[in-house]
Amino acid sequence: MDEVLFGGHPTDVCLRLPDPVDRGTLHRLVSAAQDRLTAAGLRPGGAAALRLPPSLAYVVNLLATWRAGGQAILLDHRLTDHEVDRALRRLTPQVMVAPVRTGGGALKIFVDVTEGVTRYADRPAVSGHAVIQLSSGSTGPSKVIGRTAAALVAEVHRYTRIDGVALPGERIILLPSMVHVLGLVGGLLYGLHAGVELVPPERLSGDAVLAAISAGTTPATVLGVPFHIGLLASTRPTGPLPQLRRMTTGGELVPAAVARAFTDRYGVPLGNMYGMTEVGVIGTDLYGAHRPSIAPAPGIEVRESGGELWVSCPASPYVGLSDPTRWSDGWLHTRDAGTVDEHTGLVTVRGRLDSQVSVGGMKVDLTEVEATVAELTGVAAAVVVWDDGITAYVQPDGPLSEETLDKLLAERLAGYKRPRVLHLLDQLPRTTTGKLVRSTDVLRSAVTP
């Protein structure tokens, strides 16, 4: 990993927080952190659990764990103590790294952290993976996923072969969390390897993102998730932004209306990435030429089996017993519905496989219903699930009543496709990565009694 992440000249700036951090400084900070981790009990083949918010401390301790020969267990800082304790009991790290002091407001993307290192268990890591991540949990309980150093290095090299990624000497305006795969590999690791400057905006606001773009003269790519597209689409620039080259998003499908609003406002490509925690980036369309389809990333094979997308994956990424319904014989079963064009190889993701339901003997795709609801005027976001019938949870964007919503849907959807139940919520539940939660239990609990 060292040769992949620690190349370049010591004076090259790799992070801007907003003060510049050059490679020489980062290397010294990592060496000091490695000494602290080792003194606290981390040994080669052991594990360090990182429960840190996005910060320089997170970056430094992650790289230090790997340099010490350890496994990094990434715990989103927004997890509850109960969730963290459950993960620690299962994964038994040798040391735990957590904040003892945090500075900055709730909307800060990168915060000032003073971390503390404590012993946890004197055991080797539960697997030989370089990193352990928990899945986002948008459709149910989180899965424990491991990736080897070789898999991470292969993905970093994969990014270098994708047309449209930020190039050496350019900047990535980094919005997604580096605890999760898009921000971790597509942002941090690729940026360190390729000599791309990583620039997290000071705050999570459209104005702050635009300020980060305009603060430098080099070309800038905004990396985020669909939530961030809406944020920028609703923000009016105060002047031209010649530095902005494109925005690239991963995560869930982007509503067509939101994509149009962004491209109309900024006039740059809105790129799309499809990936999973288990394998990283699977496919891309960074010029917006094939929306909603994507082309498989270099070295990745995608096939369609019974309406489900399967992705090449040499070994099971799951820690513990391998579920043959999720991985078998070198293929990851994504649980996403989709198609692969036999002539072009383009992949179209249709949504979750379980979005197909039967109503009175008629097949209904909940993804289609959800897209119809989400594109209505006055709707900011929507989730449609099957809960003893088609049920829609809707976050309005301004005044909206259930009667008005039902009337609008009656004009657009056949009767058997229309939601039987409509719930209007001030805020729809989201995962720590910004994805809309689709668990019926969580959605039910979000409804005010």
Side-chain angles (χ1 to χ4, degrees):
M1 294 282 278
D2 268 19
E3 59 272 20
V4 173
L5 303 179
F6 286 102
H9 194 276
T11 61
D12 291 343
V13 173
C14 50
L15 295 162
R16 197 169 292 275
L17 306 172
D19 295 328
V21 178
D22 60 36
R23 290 181 176 272
T25 300
L26 181 62
H27 193 277
R28 289 192 295 274
L29 292 172
V30 169
S31 295
Q34 182 179 347
D35 291 341
R36 290 193 297 272
L37 292 170
T38 301
L42 179 63
R43 299 289 180 266
L50 308 183
R51 189 189 186 186
L52 294 166
S55 56
L56 182 58
Y58 169 81
V59 174
V60 165
N61 281 278
L62 171 64
L63 300 179
T65 297
W66 287 336
R67 293 202 75 195
Q71 175 188 85
I73 300 170
L74 307 185
L75 302 175
D76 195 291
H77 71 287
R78 292 163 290 195
L79 296 176
T80 65
D81 289 343
H82 174 73
E83 290 170 310
V84 169
D85 288 343
R86 185 169 56 191
L88 294 180
R89 286 196 301 271
R90 178 174 181 179
L91 300 171
T92 60
Q94 291 179 333
V95 299
M96 172 81 170
V97 186
V100 295
R101 184 188 62 79
T102 302
L107 293 180
K108 291 277 284 184
I109 287 190
F110 256 53
V111 298
D112 299 324
V113 169
T114 301
E115 74 273 30
V117 185
T118 57
R119 290 178 182 266
Y120 185 83
D122 188 18
R123 300 181 187 177
V126 297
S127 70
H129 297 103
V131 66
I132 294 287
Q133 295 171 276
L134 303 180
S135 66
S136 62
S138 61
T139 58
S142 295
K143 301 178 289 294
V144 179
I145 297 164
R147 300 189 70 192
T148 63
L152 293 174
V153 169
E155 188 183 0
V156 169
H157 288 307
R158 187 171 299 130
Y159 270 96
T160 67
R161 298 164 59 195
I162 295 173
D163 185 21
V165 297
L167 299 175
E170 297 184 353
R171 294 175 295 152
I172 292 177
I173 310 302
L174 187 64
L175 304 182
S177 170
M178 291 186 297
V179 171
H180 302 284
V181 66
L182 178 61
L184 174 65
V185 186
L188 177 62
L189 303 189
Y190 170 71
L192 290 175
H193 172 70
V196 175
E197 188 176 307
L198 299 174
V199 186
E202 291 198 41
R203 292 189 176 274
L204 183 57
S205 70
D207 289 337
V209 175
L210 298 185
I213 296 169
S214 60
T217 59
T218 54
T221 295
V222 178
L223 184 64
V225 297
F227 167 77
H228 299 127
I229 303 176
L231 193 68
L232 286 175
S234 61
T235 304
R236 188 177 298 278
T238 57
L241 290 169
Q243 307 94 325
L244 179 59
R245 291 297 170 88
R246 69 172 37 80
M247 181 170 187
T248 298
T249 66
E252 56 197 354
L253 297 173
V254 180
V258 176
R260 285 194 301 270
F262 176 86
T263 53
D264 288 348
R265 171 144 290 180
Y266 294 99
V268 298
L270 179 60
N272 182 35
M273 280 190 179
Y274 168 54
M276 297 179 68
T277 305
E278 288 88 336
V279 291
V281 61
I282 294 170
T284 63
D285 175 30
L286 298 194
Y287 291 91
H290 307 297
R291 187 176 300 278
S293 300
I294 49 94
I300 292 289
E301 295 181 58
V302 183
R303 68 165 59 161
E304 175 191 344
S305 178
E308 180 184 15
L309 295 176
W310 289 13
V311 177
S312 56
C313 181
S316 173
Y318 301 110
V319 175
L321 296 176
S322 181
D323 182 352
T325 68
R326 294 307 305 261
W327 179 90
S328 62
D329 298 326
W331 292 94
L332 178 72
H333 306 181
T334 67
R335 301 282 172 87
D336 285 330
T339 57
V340 180
D341 188 289
E342 61 178 330
H343 301 295
T344 65
L346 292 176
V347 179
T348 302
V349 184
R350 304 292 185 187
R352 298 298 298 171
L353 193 66
D354 56 10
S355 68
Q356 308 289 322
V357 299
S358 178
V359 178
M362 305 289 287
K363 291 294 183 183
V364 179
D365 186 346
L366 297 183
T367 304
E368 176 196 354
V369 179
E370 183 174 294
T372 302
V373 178
E375 291 186 6
L376 292 175
T377 301
V379 173
V383 171
V384 174
V385 297
W386 178 264
D387 191 4
D388 293 327
I390 301 176
T391 303
Y393 295 83
V394 179
Q395 180 179 320
D397 181 17
L400 183 68
S401 67
E402 292 180 8
E403 292 76 16
T404 299
L405 183 57
D406 190 51
K407 182 179 178 180
L408 292 171
L409 291 173
E411 298 170 354
R412 292 163 172 80
L413 289 171
Y416 68 92
K417 295 182 180 180
R418 280 162 47 199
R420 287 178 50 196
V421 180
L422 298 170
H423 294 295
L424 300 184
L425 302 176
D426 291 339
Q427 291 287 334
L428 287 174
R430 291 182 180 270
T431 69
T432 55
T433 61
K435 289 184 181 180
L436 291 166
V437 171
R438 304 183 186 282
S439 164
T440 54
D441 290 340
V442 174
L443 289 165
R444 281 191 210 127
S445 66
V447 178
T448 303

